[in-house]
Amino acid sequence: KQAEAEAEILPTAGSDFRGKCILLVEDNELNSEIAAEILSEYGFLVDTAENGAEAVEKVKNSKPGNYDLVLMDIQMPRMDGYTATREIRTLPNNRKANVPIVTMTANAFEEDRKKAFECGMNGHIVKPIDRRSISKVLDQIFKEAK
């Protein structure tokens, strides 16, 4: 039973995230620690930012292709996730501008999902995050990238 339950929450067969780098943008320290722990279990290298402005700077100053994905909170001080996503999408370097961005938000309404996609996000995870929802979205994003 335990093995079956674990198999359900792990990424699907063939998913290998080792060596992939995620920028985790989250202003709540506890949420950030939980998400980083889950992502590390999948083999991701995790970098963090505490707000949208810091996330934009990190992507802007990174080498193209350094980040494979950005997990973006929406409600943060200094700059929210929607604004940060729009700014990243306007970066002059095409690889940086087109990095996959997935929102993590407590807002589960359809209008919130629509707004996330309208501002250029590639996926939507509802908080509190869990392994199953992260796994599903990450598998989807990285399968599309192949």
Side-chain angles (χ1 to χ4, degrees):
K1 276 249 189 254
Q2 179 72 22
E4 282 176 33
E6 284 180 14
E8 256 182 60
I9 61 173
L10 294 173
T12 56
S15 298
D16 184 2
F17 302 127
R18 284 177 300 191
K20 294 201 180 293
C21 186
I22 283 188
L23 177 59
L24 173 62
V25 189
E26 170 63 68
D27 65 317
N28 180 294
E29 195 175 330
L30 181 61
N31 287 348
S32 183
E33 285 175 21
I34 291 168
E37 180 64 33
I38 292 170
L39 295 166
S40 295
E41 288 173 14
Y42 288 129
F44 284 103
L45 304 170
V46 182
D47 190 11
T48 58
E50 292 182 15
N51 60 61
E54 187 182 339
V56 172
E57 282 305 304
K58 284 194 170 201
V59 172
K60 189 168 144 184
N61 296 324
S62 69
K63 291 182 188 157
N66 184 57
Y67 293 117
D68 296 292
L69 180 81
V70 177
L71 268 180
M72 182 83 71
D73 187 16
I74 294 298
Q75 296 177 325
M76 297 179 288
R78 286 191 61 209
M79 182 186 290
D80 68 45
Y82 297 128
T83 305
T85 298
R86 283 192 286 272
E87 291 212 7
I88 290 169
R89 294 296 183 232
T90 64
L91 292 174
N93 181 288
N94 205 27
R95 281 188 73 193
K96 292 180 191 181
N98 291 308
V99 63
I101 301 175
V102 174
T103 178
M104 299 182 302
T105 179
N107 302 336
F109 297 110
E110 186 57 34
E111 64 194 57
D112 299 306
R113 281 180 57 85
K114 268 176 76 174
K115 188 172 181 182
F117 288 106
E118 284 169 2
C119 79
M121 292 183 173
N122 305 87
H124 186 267
I125 296 174
V126 177
K127 289 181 186 177
I129 59 169
D130 60 42
R131 285 174 172 76
R132 186 169 286 125
S133 59
I134 284 182
S135 174
K136 185 177 171 188
V137 171
L138 295 179
D139 278 342
Q140 192 177 352
I141 296 286
F142 288 110
K143 276 192 179 87
E144 287 172 7
K146 285 182 180 174

